[in-house]
């Protein structure tokens, strides 16, 4: 309940008023738009106002198609207004009750709990991390998305989306996403009638995000997920990289290594000459990654669309194609005899080691007690030390202080300088 209180306080806080520039930067760096209850939907509106003009201009759309695209965008605003009004009303009510301790907790199915004040409930999912969501009603409608990729062969792009984020409902392709650029990138490959619904808002440690659910009503799903993955790999082997591009847009891993990494849950029955299958990922590194990234970036009329959408995954792919990309050298530290790798997330620093068995992970966590935490990531067990604990440990360890400082000095993420100053002030 204390964690939920923290999420509620963050949800009801008031951050700086968003601008076009700040929203596009957030999309370009993270993909997901996050905010408080007063700014989240403002960010979505600003993004959609931007694309309403930018997309037709970038693709040189005929006047009738441009008008249809703008009509699609305009039709999203009533859904956003509905979702915002519900979010404000419900969050203020439930979060006040959480703060006062007057909520009722009910057990649902499996690992689901409901934290309720009257009829307003926050759904709590107890997985490896706790997920809090507030479900919405009625923020939905049938909209029409025009064919903005005129003359483009859509099938290859559809295969990659099916290999990754695209699901199926009653034989129709569907997508759930928290990323506004992804709505448009996917819908462009499934033009026609779309059922669009804003399902819920999530209370995360970085603020609120919202989840859109879309169904392409004019298309029937042709492939299972594994069939689409096999096709994407086979086509890449023949030098056709469009499916790999949209697979990357769905399941690509952005972590600033000189590698292309694509998450994949089940590799059974799959064969690939691209990189290696490791820890639930396809990993392609070095010159080969840059070659494939360049081939993926040659995406016909899809490329200018991705350029103008400010997708963080497209931005990473374009960065990878650059000849100025420096070789990535991971930084390791030794703590209590355990070799751990430093990582820099969006707002924090942490160290981790990945282990094959739960028993081995528990023994490692015991060595690093009381600082270490543990969770399971697909087939591996991760033991990690959060940034705050690293600061404490480095106070009495000059070598650790030096390694952390060197790592932050060479890191490319904007938050690195801020963290470096903070670390040096406290060490």
């Amino acid at each position: 309940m204390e964690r939920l209180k923290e999420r509620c306080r963050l949800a009801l806080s008031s951050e700086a008023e968003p601008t076009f520039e700040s929203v596009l930067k957030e999309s370009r760096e993270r993909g997901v738009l996050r905010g408080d209850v007063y700014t989240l939907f403002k960010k979505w509106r600003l993004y959609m106002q931007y694309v309403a003009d930018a997309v037709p201009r970038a693709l040189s759309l005929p006047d009738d198609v441009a008008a249809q695209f703008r009509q699609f965008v305009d039709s999203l605003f009533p859904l956003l207004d509905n979702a915002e009004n519900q979010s404000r009303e419900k969050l203020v009510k439930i979060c006040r009750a959480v703060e006062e301790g007057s909520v009722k907790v009910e057990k649902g199915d499996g690992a689901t709990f409901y934290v309720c004040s009257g009829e307003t409930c926050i759904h709590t999912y107890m997985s490896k991390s706790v997920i809090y969501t507030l479900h919405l009603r009625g923020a939905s409608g049938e909209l029409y998305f025009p064919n903005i990729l005129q003359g483009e062969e859509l099938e290859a792009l559809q295969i990659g989306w099916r290999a990754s984020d695209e699901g199926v409902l009653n034989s129709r392709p569907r997508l759930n996403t928290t990323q506004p650029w992804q709505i448009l990138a996917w819908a462009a490959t499934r033009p026609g009638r779309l059922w669009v619904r804003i399902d819920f808002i999530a209370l995360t440690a970085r603020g609120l995000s919202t989840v859109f659910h879309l169904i392409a009503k004019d298309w029937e799903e042709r492939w299972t997920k594994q069939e689409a993955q096999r096709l994407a790999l086979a086509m890449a082997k023949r030098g056709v990289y469009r499916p790999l591009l949209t697979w990357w847009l769905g399941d690509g891993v952005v972590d600033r290594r000189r590698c292309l990494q694509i998450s994949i849950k089940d590799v059974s029955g799959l064969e690939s000459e691209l990189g290696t299958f490791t820890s639930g990922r396809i990993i392609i590194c070095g010159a080969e990654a840059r070659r494939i990234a360049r081939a993926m970036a040659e995406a016909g009329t899809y490329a200018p669309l991705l350029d103008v959408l400010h997708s963080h995954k497209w931005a990473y792919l374009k960065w990878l194609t650059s000849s100025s990309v420096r070789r990535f050298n991971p930084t390791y530290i030794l703590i209590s005899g355990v070799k751990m790798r430093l990582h820099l997330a969006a707002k924090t620093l942490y160290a981790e080691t990945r282990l094959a068995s739960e028993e081995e992970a528990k023994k490692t966590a015991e060595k690093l007690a009381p600082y270490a935490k543990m969770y399971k990531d697909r087939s591996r067990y991760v033991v990690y030390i959060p940034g705050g604990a690293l600061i404490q440990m480095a106070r009495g360890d000059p070598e650790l202080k030096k390694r952390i400082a060197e790592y932050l000095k060479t890191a490319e993420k904007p938050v690195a300088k801020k963290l470096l100053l903070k670390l040096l002030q406290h060490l």
Side-chain angles (χ1 to χ4, degrees):
M1 196 60 69
E2 285 303 315
R3 182 180 295 176
L4 181 54
K5 284 183 181 180
E6 292 175 5
R7 301 286 173 88
C8 274
R9 290 165 188 162
L10 187 60
L12 299 181
S13 65
S14 185
E15 66 176 16
E17 196 72 11
T19 64
F20 281 115
E21 293 76 12
S22 66
V23 168
L24 294 181
K25 181 181 179 184
E26 190 171 351
S27 178
R28 196 165 54 247
E29 292 181 352
R30 291 205 306 249
V32 180
L33 295 183
R34 294 190 178 94
D36 55 50
V37 73
Y38 308 105
T39 62
L40 174 62
F41 293 99
K42 288 181 182 179
K43 290 182 177 182
W44 274 82
R45 289 192 198 92
L46 285 172
Y47 183 90
M48 291 303 169
Q49 288 169 16
Y50 156 76
V51 297
D53 290 324
V55 168
R57 187 168 57 249
L59 299 184
S60 301
L61 294 179
D63 290 345
D64 59 335
V65 180
Q68 290 173 335
F69 177 79
R70 292 190 180 100
Q71 178 59 45
F72 170 82
V73 174
D74 288 343
S75 299
L76 291 174
F77 290 114
L79 307 188
L80 291 168
D81 292 343
N82 184 324
E84 181 177 35
N85 292 335
Q86 286 190 63
S87 299
R88 289 193 182 190
E89 179 184 350
K90 292 181 178 181
L91 267 179
V92 169
K93 177 183 178 180
I94 190 69
C95 285
R96 183 182 293 129
V98 168
E99 192 69 38
E100 294 171 351
S102 58
V103 291
K104 182 179 179 181
V105 180
E106 300 175 1
K107 180 75 171 68
D109 295 334
T112 303
F113 293 84
Y114 303 99
V115 179
C116 301
S117 175
E119 295 183 355
T120 302
C121 297
I122 289 178
H123 294 212
T124 305
Y125 303 93
M126 308 295 290
S127 58
K128 65 181 181 183
S129 59
V130 185
I131 301 171
Y132 303 101
T133 60
L134 180 69
H135 288 235
L136 307 175
R137 296 178 180 176
S140 60
E142 184 177 293
L143 313 182
Y144 178 78
F145 195 96
N147 184 4
I148 62 175
L149 300 179
Q150 298 180 62
E152 184 73 35
E153 176 54 56
L154 298 181
E155 181 176 295
L157 299 171
Q158 292 169 353
I159 289 170
W161 279 116
R162 179 58 176 137
S164 56
D165 281 0
E166 184 177 282
V168 60
L169 182 67
N170 297 328
S171 80
R172 305 297 178 188
R174 67 172 177 84
L175 180 77
N176 291 330
T177 183
T178 59
Q179 304 172 82
W181 69 266
Q182 201 171 62
I183 290 175
L184 302 170
W186 178 77
T189 70
R190 296 289 189 182
R193 294 176 302 146
L194 290 179
W195 180 257
V196 182
R197 183 175 71 238
I198 304 178
D199 270 347
F200 56 82
I201 55 174
L203 290 79
T204 78
R206 298 177 186 172
L208 297 176
S209 63
T210 189
V211 175
F212 273 66
H213 178 74
L214 302 99
I215 302 172
K217 300 187 71 173
D218 289 337
W219 295 85
E220 285 203 22
E221 191 59 79
R222 295 173 55 193
W223 311 280
T224 67
K225 192 161 294 292
Q226 195 167 64
E227 285 171 347
Q229 290 170 350
R230 285 198 194 98
L231 273 171
L233 293 174
M235 292 173 77
K237 185 178 179 180
R238 300 197 306 267
V240 179
Y241 290 98
R242 300 283 176 88
L244 198 65
L245 168 61
T246 43
W247 189 354
W248 158 261
L249 293 175
D251 284 338
V253 179
V254 174
D255 65 358
R256 284 293 173 184
R257 305 182 191 189
R258 198 186 179 189
C259 296
L260 272 174
Q261 299 188 64
I262 300 176
S263 295
I264 181 168
K265 291 181 180 178
D266 182 11
V267 300
S268 58
L270 290 178
E271 296 181 2
S272 174
E273 295 179 5
L274 298 175
T276 57
F277 289 136
T278 305
S279 301
R281 293 180 181 180
I282 298 173
I283 301 178
I284 311 164
C285 293
E288 182 67 359
R290 191 162 62 194
R291 181 191 69 79
I292 292 175
R294 285 174 175 164
M296 290 163 65
E298 295 175 359
T301 55
Y302 203 50
L305 173 63
L306 296 174
D307 280 336
V308 81
L309 293 183
H310 290 267
S311 156
H312 67 305
K313 292 187 178 180
W314 179 248
Y316 177 86
L317 192 71
K318 296 293 285 291
W319 172 83
L320 191 59
T321 67
S322 170
S323 58
S324 63
V325 174
R326 296 181 303 180
R327 193 163 195 84
F328 176 79
N329 293 309
T331 298
Y332 293 94
I333 55 177
L334 196 65
I335 300 178
S336 300
V338 178
K339 186 178 180 181
M340 308 189 79
R341 181 172 166 182
L342 287 174
H343 288 273
L344 189 61
K347 293 185 179 180
T348 189
L349 175 76
Y350 63 99
E352 72 167 28
T353 183
R354 292 175 174 262
L355 302 151
S357 70
E358 184 177 12
E359 181 182 0
E360 192 178 3
K362 286 180 177 179
K363 288 180 180 178
T364 301
E366 288 173 3
K367 285 184 182 179
L368 300 170
Y371 302 107
K373 299 184 178 182
M374 188 182 89
Y375 67 90
K376 186 177 181 182
D377 181 18
R378 297 185 177 88
S379 61
R380 308 287 286 182
Y381 291 85
V382 181
V383 177
Y384 72 99
I385 298 176
L390 280 176
I391 293 174
Q392 290 184 18
M393 299 171 81
R395 285 177 180 154
D397 189 337
E399 181 59 28
L400 180 57
K401 170 184 174 180
K402 178 182 175 183
R403 295 287 286 165
I404 292 175
E406 287 175 348
Y407 174 73
L408 291 173
K409 285 176 183 177
T410 59
E412 296 182 0
K413 292 188 178 180
V415 74
K417 289 184 180 179
K418 182 178 178 181
L419 283 172
L420 178 61
L421 290 173
K422 183 178 179 180
L423 286 168
L424 294 179
Q425 284 172 358
H426 289 279
L427 292 176

